[in-house]
Amino acid sequence: MAFTVEDAPWWTRATVYQVYPRSFQDSDGDGVGDLRGIASRLDHLEALGVDVVWLSPIYRSPQDDNGYDISDYQDVDPVFGTLEDLDELIGALHARGMKLVMDLVVNHTSDEHPWFVESRSSVDSPKRDWYWWRPPREGMAPGQPGAEPTNWHSFFSGSTWELDEASGEYYLHLFSRKQPDLNWENPEVRQAVYAMMRWWLDRGVDGFRMDVINLISKNTSLPDGPVVAGVWGDGSAHYTDGPRVHEFLQEMHREVFDGREGALLTVGETPGVTLEEARRYTDPARREVDMVFQFEHVGLDHGPGGKFDPRPLRLTDLKATFGRWQAGLADAGWNSLYWDNHDQPRVVSRFGDDGRYRRESAKALATLLHLHRGTPYVYQGEELGMTNAHFTRFDQYRDIESLNHVAQSRALGTATDEQLLAGLAAMSRDNARTPVQWDGSPQAGFTTGTPWLAVNPNHVEVNAAAEQADPASVLHHYRRLIALRHADPVVALGDFTMLLPRDEQVYAFTRTLGDDALLVVVNVSGEDARVDLGDGWPAAADGGWGELVLGTHDGPGEPTVLRPWEARVVRRRG
């Protein structure tokens, strides 16, 4: 059932801002961002108008995967500060009317988590069954090539199985070998996770972004998958949206969220999710999560060789994907809207023009996204029009996924170094992880020390101080977009209708609520676009489309001609 103005949850009008703490603001000069640094920049977030701050993991961790390998769920890693620092940040956000959402990483832990240390200690350990332990294939010796229990390929290259020499058994890790997967079939595991979640909510946290939450339920027979990478197979059919995942999430809701729902936000990261499954996850009647992140639109530019073999985006493909998700979740469920996050390259470099039209394309793409039906997510620096890193050497990269890709590609001889560098420059996760560009000083105002990852050289021109001083900046445009969602029920709840679905230059759609309607029309190119919307939105008597609510360019321009990377939001009543 679709939300109405009277019963719509608060998050339908909200905008979420993701902070990647390592790269946001360093307060102590060690080159790594921290909680006190975040607290020092709350004026920026308050002025932007965001309602929720989502923190990527700040828990204790060996930092094999930048904090997504957790060794203690109920403490803060010293690199980021202390629990007291976090309490102060929560209080400061609440005092400004903002909420804090924590990253919840419970598909796996670190191999240094006490649960796994105990599990690994003996085949008879009481916690052995807290993880996925299996003997080698029948008739094969431990460590022998092909002896792994399945042929599954890890998200981070190679096998999903790591041999434990002491016991002669293997443990499952869908990601890094230092990220063993928890066994959610074991009710003790689930209860330990729920207790930890309640502990954080009692401490003042306002919800969770649940990392790869649709991977927690596995087919317990663990069958092989079709071979896709050398000797390794694709096992995703056996762990994506697995057989008990909805049961587990409904149990989590009962155990953790019952009685607290109204003020909280829950969003599930769901790689590989189908629209049909997303309806099940987000239908309020099922009591699982409020919304999910899907990945179809950020896979549209992946080439035959995967994400590091990019191809140009076709606008009609983007329309087909976004349009399908808007229609599919119109009557049940809810969309999450995003371009950027800590795992994606910068959208202005990816789908826009980070040269001549950096400012214009950043504003146009923001308008396109934020006027859809759903909850928008802004990744740190996106509101400044930050670009990809434009690194030119392998030693500039830090991301485990990127470095493993290079090592595997070299070992298999599947790409030249030139091709590998081009793939990383376009798609590496480090593109999103360069420090936030606060000003034009030597380290962009991020740190007084040496940053853990190099600052983008273009910070001299592209930075928050310069954006703040320019009324036509990307930053001020994001503020206007967020304010419009707060103020206008059509933006939050209006029905969505795609226009010009086969046009490769112009992205246009309407949002309608009762007698009120908005037209959104965006030129997704560096050339002028003459637009004829036909019966979808007939021109008014003066030849234009109606009252301009929000635009990206100064001056009126021609009524039905969009300048390069121009976006307009137009209202017509009745």
Side-chain angles (χ1 to χ4, degrees):
M1 180 176 182
F3 297 126
T4 67
V5 174
E6 291 74 27
D7 68 8
W10 63 270
W11 36 258
T12 59
R13 302 179 302 279
T15 298
V16 182
Y17 187 96
Q18 182 188 357
V19 167
Y20 192 70
R22 175 175 291 272
S23 299
F24 191 69
Q25 179 65 59
D26 173 26
S27 71
D28 58 12
D30 67 354
V32 179
D34 47 46
L35 292 171
R36 290 188 176 182
I38 297 168
S40 74
R41 295 292 187 179
L42 293 189
D43 284 351
H44 174 81
L45 301 181
E46 184 176 25
L48 185 58
V50 297
D51 306 273
V52 181
V53 173
W54 151 32
L55 289 187
S56 287
I58 45 82
Y59 312 94
R60 279 194 179 266
S61 166
Q63 302 296 326
D64 181 62
D65 186 23
N66 282 6
Y68 283 88
D69 51 315
I70 296 170
S71 57
D72 188 340
Y73 284 114
Q74 292 177 229
D75 199 5
V76 170
D77 194 282
V79 75
F80 298 124
T82 65
L83 272 172
E84 290 70 29
D85 292 334
L86 182 57
D87 290 340
E88 290 180 12
L89 177 61
I90 293 171
L93 285 165
H94 288 173
R96 294 168 183 256
M98 290 183 277
K99 298 177 182 290
L100 182 80
V101 163
M102 295 277 278
D103 225 309
L104 182 78
V105 188
V106 291
N107 174 72
H108 48 265
T109 68
S110 167
D111 64 345
E112 298 181 32
H113 194 292
W115 296 347
F116 186 75
V117 172
E118 169 61 29
S119 179
R120 192 175 201 165
S121 67
S122 165
V123 294
D124 299 318
S125 165
K127 285 192 168 56
R128 189 70 170 183
D129 194 42
W130 282 44
Y131 295 84
W132 293 87
W133 288 97
R134 292 293 184 273
R137 286 182 189 266
E138 188 173 353
M140 301 190 76
Q144 182 179 347
E148 294 84 2
T150 75
N151 69 349
W152 295 357
H153 184 256
S154 163
F155 283 94
F156 289 169
S157 301
S159 174
T160 59
W161 294 94
E162 181 73 8
L163 175 64
D164 174 57
E165 298 279 359
S167 66
E169 291 191 339
Y170 292 81
Y171 65 85
L172 176 69
H173 60 91
L174 295 183
F175 296 90
S176 162
R177 65 179 181 82
K178 289 185 66 63
Q179 293 171 297
D181 279 45
L182 283 165
N183 178 14
W184 275 69
E185 295 292 320
N186 187 328
E188 292 181 356
V189 169
R190 303 200 301 273
Q191 289 303 319
V193 169
Y194 304 155
M196 174 268 292
M197 294 172 69
R198 289 191 295 266
W199 184 84
W200 279 112
L201 294 178
D202 291 342
R203 203 172 187 101
V205 168
D206 301 295
F208 299 100
R209 175 267 189 186
M210 304 177 185
D211 187 67
V212 295
I213 199 66
N214 66 324
L215 308 187
I216 60 175
S217 172
K218 279 79 170 174
N219 179 338
T220 56
S221 63
L222 302 178
D224 280 343
V227 174
V228 293
V231 300
W232 305 118
D234 177 9
S236 60
H238 309 299
Y239 55 72
T240 301
D241 304 317
R244 298 184 67 189
V245 66
H246 295 287
E247 173 193 340
F248 292 158
L249 288 178
Q250 289 169 6
E251 180 184 73
M252 176 191 288
H253 197 289
R254 291 192 303 272
E255 296 277 344
V256 179
F257 302 123
D258 266 1
R260 311 184 194 236
E261 300 96 329
L264 299 182
L265 174 67
T266 57
V267 54
E269 183 198 28
T270 52
V273 72
T274 65
L275 177 56
E276 293 69 31
E277 285 293 330
R279 282 176 61 92
R280 298 178 71 191
Y281 285 118
T282 65
D283 183 347
R286 294 176 57 85
R287 297 167 65 80
E288 296 186 23
V289 294
D290 296 325
M291 61 193 80
V292 297
F293 289 131
Q294 57 88 10
F295 291 81
E296 281 188 19
H297 66 296
V298 292
L300 295 175
D301 59 345
H302 292 185
K307 69 175 283 186
F308 292 107
D309 177 29
R311 61 188 177 189
L313 174 72
R314 290 187 60 205
L315 188 62
T316 48
D317 290 343
L318 183 67
K319 292 178 185 180
T321 289
F322 273 176
R324 197 167 66 85
W325 280 84
Q326 289 286 296
L329 298 183
D331 61 335
W334 194 252
N335 277 286
S336 297
L337 309 173
Y338 73 95
W339 288 128
D340 291 356
N341 61 35
H342 62 290
D343 286 333
Q344 303 296 331
R346 294 287 183 178
V347 70
V348 70
S349 298
R350 185 180 194 176
F351 297 152
D353 177 349
D354 67 6
R356 177 181 179 184
Y357 291 117
R358 181 196 65 85
R359 183 177 72 174
E360 292 83 358
S361 64
K363 291 160 68 173
L365 290 168
T367 307
L368 189 160
L369 186 80
H370 280 241
L371 268 294
H372 279 74
R373 191 172 189 267
T375 297
Y377 287 70
V378 178
Y379 178 70
Q380 63 182 41
E382 182 184 340
E383 77 280 14
L384 308 177
M386 280 180 61
T387 70
N388 276 359
H390 300 304
F391 291 153
T392 57
R393 305 188 317 273
F394 291 113
D395 63 4
Q396 293 173 291
Y397 290 93
R398 300 289 180 270
D399 173 41
I400 185 174
E401 179 192 43
S402 300
L403 299 178
N404 284 358
H405 167 71
V406 170
Q408 178 174 287
S409 298
R410 283 173 165 173
L412 297 175
T414 54
T416 66
D417 278 4
E418 183 180 15
Q419 291 169 326
L420 289 171
L421 279 171
L424 295 186
M427 302 298 282
S428 171
R429 302 192 302 180
D430 279 338
N431 285 304
R433 300 177 180 186
T434 57
V436 172
Q437 296 162 207
W438 295 107
D439 58 40
S441 63
Q443 301 300 351
F446 165 70
T447 183
T448 57
T450 301
W452 75 276
L453 183 66
V455 171
N456 193 321
N458 69 12
H459 75 275
V460 177
E461 297 84 27
V462 181
N463 60 70
E467 294 278 312
Q468 177 64 37
D470 178 6
S473 69
V474 180
L475 174 62
H476 287 295
H477 190 72
Y478 268 83
R479 288 174 176 166
R480 289 188 283 269
L481 284 169
I482 293 168
L484 183 62
R485 175 170 290 273
H486 287 158
D488 196 329
V490 184
V491 178
L493 300 171
D495 293 336
F496 176 95
T497 302
M498 185 72 75
L499 305 178
L500 308 180
R502 289 177 293 278
D503 193 304
E504 290 288 2
Q505 185 181 9
V506 175
Y507 194 116
F509 57 92
T510 61
R511 302 291 310 284
T512 307
L513 187 65
D515 292 333
D516 205 354
L518 294 175
L519 166 70
V520 182
V521 58
V522 185
N523 181 2
V524 189
S525 81
E527 307 292 333
D528 284 352
R530 187 170 295 278
V531 185
D532 182 0
L533 298 172
D535 293 337
W537 190 283
D542 62 0
W545 289 314
E547 172 199 353
L548 183 66
V549 175
L550 185 64
T552 55
H553 286 49
D554 294 331
E558 293 186 50
T560 57
V561 175
L562 295 178
R563 290 160 284 189
W565 292 102
E566 182 176 7
R568 299 180 197 169
V569 181
V570 176
R571 168 169 276 113
R572 181 176 294 168
R573 291 188 171 89

